Amino acid sequence: MPKLTVDGIEVEVPAGATVLQACEAAGKEIPRFCYHERLSIAGNCRMCLVEVKPGPPKPQASCALPAADNQEIRTDSEMVKKAREGVMEFLLINHPLDCPICDQGGECDLQDQSLAYGRGGSRYARENKRAVTEKYMGPLIKTVMTRCIHCTRCVRFSEEVAGVDEIGALYRGENMQITTYLERAAQHELSANVIDLCPVGALTSRPYAFEARPWELKKTLSIDVSDAVGSNIRVDSRGREVLRVLPRINDDVNEEWISDKTRYQIDGLTSRRLDQVWIRKRGKFQPASWDEAFKAIAKVKAGKKVAAVAGDMLDCETMFAAKALLGAMGSKLIESRQTGMDYDVSSLPAVNFNSTFAGIETADAVLIIGSHLRSEAPLVNVRLSKAVKRGAKIFVVGPEWETTYPATFLGSDVSVLANLPAEVEQAMSGAKRPAIILGGGGFAAGAHGASLALADKWNLVRDLEDGGTWNGYNALHFSAARMGALMLGFVQKGGIADLVKAKPALLFALGADEVDFTQFPDALKVYIGHHGDKGAHAADIILPAAAYTEKAGTYVNTEGRVQFADKAVFAPGDAREDWTILRALADALGVSVDFDNFAELQAAMVAAVPALGEEGLADYGADLPKGELKASGEISYPIKDFYLTNPIARASVTMQRCSAELLHGEDLAEAAE
Amino acid sequence: MAERHLEPDTPELRERWGNWSFNPAWKAKADEAISHYPAGRQKSAVMALLDYAQRQVGEETGTQGWLPIPVMEYVAGYLDMPIIRVVEVATFYTMYNLVPVGKFHVQVCGTTPCMLRGSDDILAACYKRGMRKGHTTEDGMWTLTEVECMGNCATAPMVQINDGNYEDLNTERLDAVLDALVAGETPKEGTQEPGRHTSEPSGGPTTLKEMVTENHDYRGEW
């Protein structure tokens, strides 16, 4: 634990910390471009120069200098001031200073730092500036490479975090250029994070180009629903439109990254929207009023023969309100696993990601059963690649996919679980922190019991030598609503088949688009949702509801982490927040539910499931049920197209373009824009 | 330098070089280079392999050789490393030619010592023969590049033509060397000054004179 002084302030930092971190610990701001907490240290921008005693009589780059005992650091001396001014002057020699037409303007590190640390003029103003050609980096990243200051953050991100080496620095010295290989599109699920990392306007967002200035935007803290990771996001909106989504830092969940789908599906929020009530008459949808729709629903006189299916992007409040409504009508026919899965849900730890995302980084042997991590939860894949860097061994049961780390594929039939190769047995039983990740493909192939049996055999729930506890049993869902639904009991023992068997006369589809509605030929199908997608096509009555940016709500991610999201904008047209529709339906159907406003609804929900009232990891305990090791079935991954997994993404032009160009190799001419 | 660029990735280029691979002689050298590094660190041999690849391409084209994109991809595959990392290395070092070169690649040093000793005249003499910086003459004979210091400052000015250094040049001596090359002869490498062997002081030693013939102990004279 070195002790040193920064500008006369004594600080003690952990061994291995850098001088820059020591300065931050002392509350001193150190300007930097290339240094980033989550990337390796490059030390090439020279902006973080400080004066260090003892040491050579010249400023030193604090980001790459280890803090040592008895160092005296000065960040406020004349030498440091001149050094920063000099570096800034050099960086700006070739920078075009085109801030008025640059999308980074207003949130640009170079702008801010030249204001704070620059000298306000240049001795190189008459020099010609270097010109660099634009580089094509795909449909998401717009490049203006003359603005690049060669910090190499994007290069390090693609290598270290994304795990796909595709961005590099070609040529040398003044001619150095950042590019992808042969200017091919960046092809991984996290590619757009380089936009946030870029300290200047060299890499900016292509779909968001010239849309808004940062100071015009209202910033709302929210939770992502495009997968079950529950990434913490900030929704930037202007007026009634959501313009962009940025990650919020949460080390337990998404660190500092979000997937491209999280970031760019939002342009789907303005197209294919359901913004008025529709009733199907003689096979065609006709516009209608809320009253007409409610009357038509009441006319069915469903009584107890009513069912509800919840979609993948629902908040807990909506599901609770639906459950309350159906309960008041005397029905318990509720289900959230739209595609007909019927795995055992009696024990929550058996369907939860118990290791937590931060915890899985420390695992030393991981068996993945039926999960295409890169498309189901790209951010969990990042965690696993960190585990691999620490020496973890990864085994995968399922069809092969392109991992970003060394992994051994064991075959695509789950029967292999009963007969694992000796190498796997040895690694898993010898590991200190062994883990199993059971994905949607594994659930569908019936590997739930087998995975539990393996958890028991390898003793995945254990006390560690260092006194901590370890639970290595993980179920990885990819539906944002799944854990919330399981906590609320929004499930049937037999899955959706139980609903089919009950032959309901009235079926509420709450944003449910993946259901096979032909199973319910006799039911009046009411779709309550926000997009004209598969669910709406099959419905008889459409009630327009709010998307995730348009309502406040509680979400539970796949590790059982309860998180609250705020409302960013109002829903378009006649669309209403889901719970208000359900509340009005209660009146129309002549039953009573005990909430009249959102606060009462939340209170009732928390009273029913107290864990939903507390932000953070819900405690499910660690008692895993026993399972049967024998299983058989071919695994197939449920996500066929990463960019088009939900109705919002399917309506998004950006996501469609990504899907066409990146997954299906369609060559969309850049000139077509 | 600014002229350095990758040869465009065209179908013709793919057709010409797509099936390129090391011949047995260079493959043996490549494997030897890889064996210098610990197992799993085979990437460290990338610079040697790129050089070998360039030399084999040179043998096949009768020039100093260059690195077409499919050849770099072959090297990346050979070393099991991302192609972008190979391209980074190849574009960084001027030793690797990124575009086809002529039969003789004339690299004129233009750094300060050579410039003071007349590298401008050397360049002028090259221009006179139709060479242009960064270009190959139409007859495919010459490629001219201005490079930075090659470490022959004591015998400045110098040019490097393919693998040979020609030093102590002036316009006439350079012409003699180039004419000899055109005629298919092998001009003497190294200093072109008559009577000079290597980089010893021209006109005889000016210091440590007693050391010329035998070892001399200067210590008593300090």
Side-chain angles (χ1 to χ4, degrees):
Chain A
M1 297 280 278
K3 261 191 204 166
L4 58 163
T5 63
V6 178
D7 296 347
I9 304 167
E10 195 160 295
V11 286
E12 193 173 346
V13 291
T18 63
V19 169
L20 189 146
Q21 285 163 333
C23 293
E24 283 187 334
K28 300 289 171 186
E29 186 185 71
I30 304 291
R32 87 285 303 265
F33 294 110
C34 71
Y35 176 82
H36 192 277
E37 295 85 349
R38 290 170 214 280
L39 302 175
S40 65
I41 293 168
N44 53 7
C45 76
R46 315 310 290 176
M47 197 59 206
C48 63
L49 294 172
V50 294
E51 193 177 339
V52 180
K53 271 182 229 159
K58 59 172 189 175
Q60 299 201 55
S62 60
C63 71
L65 185 71
D69 255 328
N70 304 322
Q71 271 173 336
E72 278 176 53
I73 316 288
R74 304 277 347 165
T75 68
D76 53 0
S77 65
E78 189 58 25
M79 183 205 274
V80 175
K81 183 169 178 291
K82 276 184 76 173
R84 286 171 178 171
E85 286 176 356
V87 169
M88 184 53 78
E89 207 177 344
F90 272 13
L91 285 174
L92 292 178
I93 289 178
N94 277 314
H95 191 79
L97 297 176
D98 56 350
C99 307
I101 56 156
C102 175
D103 255 332
Q104 193 85 355
E107 49 186 5
C108 174
D109 286 357
L110 193 62
Q111 250 183 351
D112 296 348
Q113 292 183 28
S114 65
L115 183 73
Y117 303 105
R119 67 195 285 277
S122 172
R123 286 165 286 186
Y124 302 94
R126 273 190 236 151
E127 302 273 332
N128 284 332
K129 287 180 192 283
R130 175 197 60 205
V132 187
T133 49
E134 306 314 7
K135 303 282 184 284
Y136 184 67
M137 284 200 191
L140 301 177
I141 306 166
K142 181 186 163 189
T143 65
V144 184
M145 297 318 284
T146 43
R147 296 177 188 147
C148 176
I149 58 166
H150 301 163
C151 69
T152 70
R153 274 187 191 178
C154 51
V155 178
R156 284 174 280 148
F157 173 83
S158 81
E159 181 180 346
E160 294 161 17
V161 179
V164 181
D165 290 46
E166 53 182 10
I167 304 180
L170 303 194
Y171 310 103
R172 68 192 289 182
E174 197 191 10
N175 298 306
M176 182 167 141
Q177 300 181 16
I178 301 290
T179 181
T180 49
Y181 177 59
L182 299 180
E183 298 195 31
R184 288 180 189 157
Q187 287 206 9
H188 56 82
E189 306 72 29
L190 301 169
S191 63
N193 285 300
V194 296
I195 295 165
D196 294 338
L197 283 174
C198 185
V200 298
L203 306 178
T204 54
S205 170
R206 189 181 285 271
Y208 173 72
F210 307 129
E211 288 282 344
R213 284 299 192 189
W215 56 84
E216 302 170 325
L217 300 172
K218 187 182 89 175
K219 298 157 181 73
T220 312
L221 308 187
S222 185
I223 300 297
D224 172 52
V225 296
S226 70
D227 56 30
V229 173
S231 299
N232 290 205
I233 53 172
R234 193 184 90 192
V235 176
D236 283 7
S237 57
R238 185 179 57 190
R240 298 189 69 152
E241 195 181 346
V242 174
L243 288 175
R244 65 172 178 180
V245 163
L246 295 178
R248 275 188 286 145
I249 296 177
N250 186 336
D251 280 336
D252 291 328
V253 184
N254 55 321
E255 298 177 275
E256 203 169 326
W257 325 118
I258 51 174
S259 77
D260 289 356
K261 186 163 54 184
T262 304
R263 191 183 299 261
Y264 286 120
Q265 68 173 2
I266 43 120
D267 69 337
L269 289 170
T270 50
S271 53
R272 290 196 207 159
R273 280 308 293 269
L274 301 170
D275 57 358
Q276 58 175 326
V277 181
W278 298 88
I279 299 179
R280 196 186 288 273
K281 286 177 182 156
R282 277 176 248 109
K284 270 187 145 179
F285 277 121
Q286 309 280 346
S289 71
W290 286 97
D291 262 352
E292 287 169 323
F294 287 159
K295 272 182 194 144
I297 295 168
K299 218 171 85 184
V300 178
K301 296 217 169 46
K304 283 183 183 177
K305 292 185 82 68
V306 56
V309 185
D312 287 344
M313 299 194 290
L314 285 190
D315 53 312
C316 293
E317 282 81 355
T318 302
M319 286 186 281
F320 180 78
K323 190 181 177 186
L325 172 66
L326 264 71
M329 294 171 78
S331 165
K332 281 189 176 153
L333 294 170
I334 46 178
E335 176 57 58
S336 61
R337 295 166 293 175
Q338 301 180 59
T339 51
M341 296 228 264
D342 57 355
Y343 50 85
D344 179 23
V345 291
S346 53
S347 160
L348 281 175
V351 289
N352 184 44
F353 201 97
N354 296 301
S355 301
T356 73
F357 298 154
I360 198 77
E361 279 180 23
T362 62
D364 46 10
V366 183
L367 176 65
I368 301 172
I369 305 169
S371 180
H372 186 304
L373 274 180
R374 274 181 73 176
S375 59
E376 286 171 24
L379 292 162
V380 177
N381 194 49
V382 168
R383 303 281 192 168
L384 269 194
S385 68
K386 280 201 225 176
V388 172
K389 272 183 199 150
R390 293 180 188 180
K393 287 205 173 66
I394 310 280
F395 305 99
V396 190
V397 177
E400 293 201 15
W401 47 280
E402 209 180 311
T403 54
T404 55
Y405 36 78
T408 315
F409 283 86
L410 304 171
S412 59
D413 196 294
V414 290
S415 58
V416 74
L417 293 176
N419 189 16
L420 287 166
E423 175 203 10
V424 184
E425 287 285 356
Q426 215 174 350
M428 294 298 288
S429 48
K432 285 209 173 85
R433 291 160 168 264
I436 288 178
I437 297 178
L438 178 66
F443 275 117
H448 192 209
S451 66
L452 286 167
L454 288 173
D456 188 42
K457 179 168 126 194
W458 290 326
N459 195 16
L460 291 191
V461 184
R462 56 174 75 176
D463 293 320
L464 295 171
E465 283 163 15
D466 60 13
T469 55
W470 172 253
N471 187 340
Y473 186 78
N474 301 304
L476 182 70
H477 304 290
F478 50 86
S479 146
R482 182 68 68 247
M483 278 318 285
L486 295 180
M487 285 172 79
L488 286 164
F490 211 95
V491 277
Q492 300 295 310
K493 196 160 186 295
I496 217 152
D498 285 8
L499 269 58
V500 175
K501 223 181 290 166
K503 290 214 165 75
L506 177 59
L507 175 73
F508 290 114
L510 300 155
D513 290 288
E514 322 296 336
V515 185
D516 177 10
F517 286 100
T518 56
Q519 299 172 101
F520 302 95
D522 308 322
L524 179 80
K525 295 177 270 291
V526 179
Y527 183 78
I528 304 175
H530 41 83
H531 271 78
D533 206 84
K534 297 173 202 163
H537 286 298
D540 298 306
I541 294 173
I542 293 172
L543 302 177
Y548 71 111
T549 51
E550 293 149 8
K551 58 188 172 191
T554 306
Y555 297 92
V556 187
N557 78 356
T558 188
E559 12 160 49
R561 186 179 301 278
V562 179
Q563 304 186 102
F564 302 134
D566 272 341
K567 169 176 173 167
V569 293
F570 285 96
D574 253 358
R576 296 284 181 273
E577 289 180 36
D578 307 47
W579 77 269
T580 60
I581 299 173
L582 293 163
R583 176 69 188 81
L585 271 170
D587 285 349
L589 295 168
V591 294
S592 76
V593 289
D594 51 358
F595 53 86
D596 289 326
N597 56 46
F598 191 67
E600 283 177 24
L601 168 63
Q602 266 190 328
M605 180 182 80
V606 173
V609 185
L612 286 175
E614 213 172 309
E615 219 164 357
L617 281 177
D619 185 11
Y620 303 136
D623 290 332
L624 294 175
K626 298 269 186 289
E628 174 71 40
L629 187 54
K630 235 175 132 103
S632 71
E634 195 77 13
I635 290 175
S636 75
Y637 299 124
I639 294 183
K640 304 289 178 236
D641 189 328
F642 169 73
Y643 296 102
L644 302 174
T645 53
N646 65 53
I648 300 177
R650 284 191 287 263
S652 154
V653 176
T654 310
M655 288 292 101
Q656 287 167 9
R657 198 180 152 153
C658 282
S659 165
E661 189 171 340
L662 302 179
L663 293 181
H664 303 296
E666 203 175 293
D667 200 19
L668 293 180
E670 207 187 344
E673 278 183 5
Chain B
M1 274 284 285
E3 299 88 42
R4 261 174 92 75
H5 65 272
L6 290 167
E7 183 75 359
D9 182 27
T10 58
E12 295 78 46
L13 186 87
R14 290 271 165 199
E15 185 164 348
R16 171 70 183 83
W17 298 105
N19 292 318
W20 189 91
S21 61
F22 277 132
N23 65 30
W26 287 115
K27 190 173 185 324
K29 286 198 146 206
D31 294 336
E32 154 79 15
I34 292 170
S35 73
H36 292 178
Y37 302 100
R41 302 279 178 165
Q42 78 288 351
K43 291 178 205 180
S44 303
V46 64
M47 292 183 65
L49 260 71
L50 282 173
D51 184 39
Y52 297 157
Q54 175 165 306
R55 285 173 192 278
Q56 189 187 322
V57 170
E59 286 171 6
E60 289 164 16
T61 55
T63 62
Q64 194 192 19
W66 64 293
L67 291 171
I69 282 167
V71 172
M72 289 195 250
E73 283 173 357
Y74 172 80
V75 170
Y78 203 90
L79 293 172
D80 190 23
M81 65 191 285
I83 172 67
I84 186 78
R85 300 280 162 263
V86 176
V87 182
E88 280 183 333
V89 171
T91 53
F92 187 88
Y93 296 100
T94 47
M95 187 177 85
Y96 302 114
N97 300 319
L98 302 178
V99 292
V101 289
K103 187 158 188 236
F104 300 108
H105 185 196
V106 182
Q107 305 186 62
V108 180
C109 172
T111 308
T112 318
C114 280
M115 196 198 77
L116 292 172
R117 296 272 293 160
S119 68
D120 288 354
D121 297 338
I122 303 292
L123 276 174
C126 292
Y127 295 151
K128 223 165 147 188
R129 286 176 176 256
M131 302 183 210
R132 271 196 304 147
K133 268 192 222 169
H135 289 267
T136 305
T137 53
E138 267 171 34
D139 57 5
M141 194 60 94
W142 310 106
T143 301
L144 179 66
T145 315
E146 182 178 335
V147 295
E148 301 305 333
C149 187
M150 299 270 225
N152 283 319
C153 308
T155 50
M158 66 82 67
V159 301
Q160 187 182 70
I161 302 177
N162 292 357
D163 284 338
N165 284 5
Y166 302 92
E167 302 147 24
D168 274 325
L169 294 174
N170 54 31
T171 317
E172 294 79 41
R173 289 175 189 166
L174 176 71
D175 277 336
V177 169
L178 297 185
D179 286 339
L181 286 170
V182 172
E185 295 159 20
T186 315
K188 173 176 113 55
E189 288 182 12
T191 178
Q192 303 296 313
E193 189 168 299
R196 203 172 179 191
H197 295 100
T198 57
S199 58
E200 78 273 18
S202 52
T206 52
T207 55
L208 305 179
K209 288 176 190 163
E210 284 85 348
M211 292 277 257
V212 171
T213 48
E214 55 180 345
N215 200 7
H216 178 81
D217 190 350
Y218 280 101
R219 278 176 294 185
E221 300 160 32
W222 289 347

